[in-house]
């Protein structure tokens, strides 16, 4: 890490090669589009290169990279939503469908799955970036409380309290969203 | 307040909570509506979050590092000013600017002010008339000394010694 902070290109290359699959996989999990995943993964490593000096070793490198990656995804989603709104405001209702750039391009995902993923992303937007990262590290990456404590430099009780509050916030956000849409809070498993 | 649930929730979800802690957890859930609602909703919450797991292992196409490096080079070339936005450099620059400001402020505050002029001392009054320090303008020095000597001679006083240039 010190070598990377001193702008050692070989050390930076090692870092990229070590974490590129992880970063790509996180982004693809959120966006489900290979072009976007490639573009944002490049952006993540560029950001790491330019801001590595601010890494203070309080958390693990993976946690820091994870935070940057998820933040970049959410920045992208925000920009895409603004672009879409601007775009839709310029077009009639009939022209809009199918014109969006980042439709998932892999397996034929059914609408229901897409809706569920959109819902999760929207809900995760309602909690703080720290809570969001913890929830993702726990539920998506499958890390245990002990691992999270090691990775973040916090103690286990703090992690438990933060996860509990994050889960509460997510639940309340889901209830509000469902109420607004007039739907019951029910999500199929699997 | 919700301690048994806060403490045991993750283990409960993993199916590893047991013994007295499980009993305390279950008891709290029966008496606390908020926790009951949360625990009941958690399987759905976990299922929703699992939607963000990629369906299979994925990774970038070969040559990813080269593409990242090209992007870094492009960004670096695009703006030399970006160096000021680097947190570490920016911080150092701010400290340096602050330190310089402090040094300058102290220098201005403690710098030589206008000396008090004692107009009762003829030497001081005399020196004020000099355009420059003695020796800078020898012609002027000479004229001043001569004028002074003449005025001393007229008053019968002893002339004070003045620094005069050698030529």
């Amino acid at each position: 890490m010190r070598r990377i902070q001193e702008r050692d290109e070989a050390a930076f290359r090692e870092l990229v090669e070590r974490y590129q699959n992880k970063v790509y996989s996180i982004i693809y999990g959120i966006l489900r589009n290979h072009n976007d995943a490639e573009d944002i993964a490049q952006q993540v490593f560029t950001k790491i290169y330019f801001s590595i000096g601010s890494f203070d070793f309080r958390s693990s490198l993976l946690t820091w990279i994870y935070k940057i990656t998820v933040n970049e995804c959410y920045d992208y989603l925000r920009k895409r939503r603004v672009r879409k709104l601007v775009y839709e405001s310029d077009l009639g209702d009939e022209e809009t469908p199918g014109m969006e750039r980042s439709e998932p391009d892999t397996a034929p995902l059914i609408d229901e799955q897409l809706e569920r993923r959109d819902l999760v992303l929207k809900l995760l937007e309602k909690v703080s970036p720290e809570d969001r990262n913890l929830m993702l590290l726990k539920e998506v990456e499958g890390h245990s409380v002990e691992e999270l404590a090691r990775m973040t430099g916090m103690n286990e009780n703090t992690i438990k309290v933060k996860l509990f509050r994050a889960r509460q916030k997510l639940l309340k956000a889901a209830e509000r969203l469902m109420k607004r849409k007039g739907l019951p809070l029910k999500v199929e498993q699997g | 307040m919700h301690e048994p649930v806060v403490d045991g929730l993750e283990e409960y979800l993993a199916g590893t909570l047991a013994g007295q802690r499980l009993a305390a957890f279950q008891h709290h859930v029966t008496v606390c509506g908020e926790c009951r609602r949360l625990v009941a909703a958690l399987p759905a919450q976990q299922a929703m979050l699992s939607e963000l797991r990629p369906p299979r292992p994925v990774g970038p196409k070969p040559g990813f590092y080269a593409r990242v490096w090209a992007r870094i080079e492009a960004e670096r070339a695009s703006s030399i000013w970006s160096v000021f936005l680097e947190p570490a450099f920016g911080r150092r620059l701010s400290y340096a600017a602050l330190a310089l400001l402090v040094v300058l402020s102290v220098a201005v505050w403690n710098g030589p002010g206008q000396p008090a002029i004692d107009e009762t001392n003829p030497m001081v009054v005399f020196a004020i008339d000099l355009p420059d320090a003695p020796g800078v303008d020898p012609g002027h020095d000479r004229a001043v000394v001569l004028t002074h000597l003449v005025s001393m001679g007229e008053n019968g006083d002893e002339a004070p010694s003045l620094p005069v240039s050698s030529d």
Side-chain angles (χ1 to χ4, degrees):
Chain A
M1 275 305 297
R2 298 280 180 209
R3 280 169 57 212
I4 300 168
Q5 287 182 325
E6 286 159 13
R7 296 276 185 262
D8 180 335
E9 197 198 323
F12 179 67
R13 184 182 189 132
E14 272 176 42
L15 178 140
V16 173
E17 286 171 353
R18 186 168 170 192
Y19 291 105
Q20 62 184 28
N21 285 352
K22 184 82 216 161
V23 166
Y24 190 95
S25 164
I26 297 164
I27 302 166
Y28 186 78
I30 294 174
L31 302 174
R32 297 294 166 104
N33 178 284
H34 284 290
N35 289 336
D36 291 342
E38 164 79 25
D39 185 44
I40 294 168
Q42 283 181 23
Q43 184 58 31
V44 165
F45 284 107
T46 305
K47 206 157 206 171
I48 289 171
Y49 181 83
F50 285 116
S51 58
I52 195 83
S54 68
F55 177 64
D56 55 11
F57 298 90
R58 275 189 295 185
S59 65
S60 73
L61 181 61
L62 176 62
T63 312
W64 187 67
I65 292 176
Y66 198 90
K67 193 168 87 179
I68 294 176
T69 306
V70 174
N71 287 349
E72 282 297 312
C73 287
Y74 269 86
D75 274 354
Y76 170 79
L77 287 170
R78 255 193 306 277
K79 284 175 194 161
R80 191 173 77 174
R81 205 167 301 138
V82 171
R83 269 207 312 269
K84 192 182 167 196
L85 283 174
V86 171
Y87 186 72
E88 282 178 0
S89 69
D90 290 343
L91 293 174
D93 285 347
E94 287 168 17
E95 295 170 274
T96 313
M99 298 295 281
E100 200 180 337
R101 177 182 154 248
S102 295
E103 284 301 318
D105 61 3
T106 55
L109 290 173
I110 51 171
D111 288 348
E112 204 179 316
Q113 274 180 314
L114 267 175
E115 267 178 35
R116 279 211 300 265
R117 268 187 349 92
D118 278 353
L119 176 67
V120 184
L121 293 174
K122 274 194 189 119
L123 290 179
L124 285 169
E125 246 179 15
K126 309 281 179 201
V127 300
S128 71
E130 190 190 34
D131 287 348
R132 184 193 301 155
N133 287 339
L134 268 182
M135 287 301 290
L136 291 173
L137 283 166
K138 178 76 179 58
E139 292 297 340
V140 179
E141 302 298 318
H143 292 291
S144 66
V145 170
E146 295 77 23
E147 285 170 333
L148 289 177
R150 262 201 310 277
M151 289 165 77
T152 57
M154 293 184 245
N155 71 42
E156 286 181 27
N157 283 336
T158 308
I159 296 286
K160 283 178 182 176
V161 171
K162 281 180 178 290
L163 282 172
F164 176 79
R165 289 188 185 150
R167 290 187 189 283
Q168 274 185 322
K169 280 185 210 163
L170 272 182
L171 179 63
K172 281 176 186 160
E175 284 172 346
R176 274 198 302 271
L177 202 72
M178 294 303 182
K179 211 179 209 174
R180 212 179 306 148
K181 289 186 171 182
L183 298 168
L185 179 61
K186 176 175 170 278
V187 179
E188 296 296 323
Q189 288 200 39
Chain B
M1 189 175 152
H2 305 294
E3 206 188 327
V5 173
V6 174
D7 179 54
L9 186 59
E10 299 307 321
E11 286 159 88
Y12 176 80
L13 291 171
T16 56
L17 190 65
Q20 285 196 332
R21 287 176 64 220
L22 175 61
F25 181 96
Q26 286 169 332
H27 174 70
H28 182 82
V29 168
T30 56
V31 296
C32 174
E34 195 181 338
C35 286
R36 192 163 51 245
R37 211 156 42 89
L38 177 68
V39 171
L42 284 183
Q45 192 179 82
Q46 285 186 302
M48 277 200 314
L49 287 164
S50 72
E51 295 284 336
L52 299 181
R53 279 184 209 136
R56 59 188 179 282
V58 286
K61 288 177 194 154
F64 179 72
Y65 177 75
R67 295 194 292 280
V68 169
W69 193 250
R71 190 155 174 164
I72 288 169
E73 294 281 284
E75 281 207 13
R76 207 162 23 194
S78 70
S79 172
I80 188 74
W81 298 106
S82 63
V83 74
F84 293 101
L85 299 175
E86 275 190 53
F89 183 79
R91 208 166 34 237
R92 277 185 221 129
L93 192 70
S94 317
Y95 291 149
L98 196 67
L100 185 65
L101 191 70
V102 168
V103 168
L104 287 176
S105 307
V106 169
V108 167
W109 188 259
N110 295 330
Q114 194 71 25
I117 296 170
D118 178 11
E119 292 191 355
T120 58
N121 183 346
M123 284 298 292
V124 172
V125 175
F126 209 61
I128 293 168
D129 289 337
L130 293 173
D132 291 307
V136 174
D137 184 356
H140 179 79
D141 288 353
R142 206 175 294 120
V144 168
V145 169
L146 286 173
T147 310
H148 185 63
L149 287 174
V150 168
S151 66
M152 287 292 168
E154 283 172 359
N155 297 334
D157 293 340
E158 194 184 327
S161 61
L162 278 172
V164 179
S165 63
S166 57
D167 60 348

